[in-house]
Amino acid sequence: KQEVTQIPAALSVPEGENLVLNCSFTDSAIYNLQWFRQDPGKGLTSLLLIQSSQREQTSGRLNASLDKSSGRSTLYIAASQPGDSATYLCAVSPYNTDKLIFGTGTRLQVFP
Amino acid sequence: DVKVTQSSRYLVKRTGEKVFLECVQDMDHENMFWYRQDPGLGLRLIYFSYDVKMKEKGDIPEGYSVSREKKERFSLILESASTNQTSMYLCASSSGRRNEKLFFGSGTQLSVL
């Protein structure tokens, strides 16, 4: 059974720092992996989607990498800002099910 | 801009009431999903649908039903609301069968008293 883990569960950093959020999954048989952002009391916003054949995707200050064989993905946020404060979730799309499997998220706080 | 719209942002209902949560997407997506999100439990899939009039059970379908009469609309029904169904409900949609980019609505916070 596919399991998705995100470490750390919470992170607090000063503005301007570069930071890395981690996502690990137990079964490498996946179509893709997505990173989402969720603000308190709101829905999720898709940030980046990496297909299984890709190694990384970039959008602005965000860069997501995927190492399928080791079951790991990282989300790199450059020059963090207070507006980046949110919960970040990753999710995988496994071969053997039509359902996305979500991690429990990393709650990020960037303070001025 | 693509949009998934949930009809209510906040909803308060009484135990035993029949509750309808509506979701509409304007992207002509085939797939639609209903999740609930609870602190410490993360996102859990209730039901999903790949096409009009089709539905599949997710991980926690008990106490819920769904309806998809039109491609753009996916309704979640709580047949007889109970206090343990107090939660944030999130609707999402995507295209294709391999869970391409998932678009979420802004959520409905349901309180059952």
Side-chain angles (χ1 to χ4, degrees):
Chain A
K1 179 186 171 187
Q2 177 74 268
E3 292 183 1
V4 181
T5 305
Q6 291 186 248
I7 294 172
L11 188 60
S12 184
V13 300
E15 183 177 7
E17 270 203 14
N18 301 323
L19 52 97
V20 174
L21 306 182
N22 297 295
C23 172
S24 61
F25 47 95
T26 54
D27 188 342
S28 62
I30 61 170
Y31 289 121
N32 58 52
L33 182 145
Q34 294 187 58
W35 281 94
F36 296 87
R37 170 188 171 131
Q38 186 176 28
D39 293 293
K42 301 284 181 65
L44 281 71
T45 300
S46 181
L47 298 173
L48 291 163
L49 182 149
I50 312 175
Q51 301 291 353
S52 60
S53 58
Q54 297 174 321
R55 295 286 292 183
E56 63 180 82
Q57 282 284 331
T58 298
S59 176
R61 293 183 296 108
L62 305 179
N63 176 275
S65 67
L66 175 64
D67 184 343
K68 221 174 66 157
S69 60
S70 68
R72 291 182 184 176
S73 176
T74 60
L75 179 66
Y76 176 82
I77 303 176
S80 58
Q81 303 170 356
D84 295 329
S85 299
T87 297
Y88 292 82
L89 298 99
C90 65
V92 299
S93 181
Y95 286 165
N96 62 352
T97 175
D98 294 324
K99 302 177 285 190
L100 278 182
I101 309 297
F102 282 85
T104 48
T106 294
R107 190 170 67 253
L108 172 66
Q109 183 183 14
V110 181
F111 54 90
Chain B
D1 202 9
V2 298
K3 219 166 190 179
V4 178
T5 302
Q6 294 184 229
S7 54
S8 303
R9 187 75 185 87
Y10 299 97
L11 213 50
V12 180
K13 296 292 180 181
R14 297 215 174 269
T15 302
E17 279 193 74
K18 191 168 185 175
V19 181
F20 292 86
L21 302 182
E22 305 286 345
C23 176
V24 177
Q25 50 94 4
D26 64 359
M27 297 164 280
D28 201 36
H29 281 169
E30 298 87 355
N31 312 320
M32 297 189 74
F33 306 82
W34 275 107
Y35 292 87
R36 65 177 281 179
Q37 186 176 33
D38 301 285
L41 296 176
L43 277 155
R44 292 182 290 170
L45 182 63
I46 305 171
Y47 267 97
F48 57 106
S49 168
Y50 288 128
D51 203 349
V52 176
K53 297 192 185 295
M54 293 183 67
K55 61 185 179 184
E56 299 280 346
K57 290 180 180 179
D59 299 317
I60 51 163
E62 297 79 17
Y64 303 94
S65 62
V66 290
S67 171
R68 193 162 181 204
E69 296 295 319
K70 293 185 177 181
K71 191 175 185 180
E72 68 271 17
R73 186 180 296 270
F74 193 35
S75 303
L76 180 69
I77 304 154
L78 285 66
E79 297 291 344
S80 177
S82 63
T83 54
N84 63 11
Q85 292 178 310
T86 291
S87 185
M88 169 69 91
Y89 289 87
L90 293 164
C91 175
S93 72
S94 70
S95 64
R97 285 303 294 264
R98 296 183 179 180
N99 290 310
E100 296 302 321
K101 193 172 181 181
L102 201 59
F103 294 87
F104 279 84
S106 54
T108 296
Q109 179 62 53
L110 172 68
S111 297
V112 182
L113 307 177

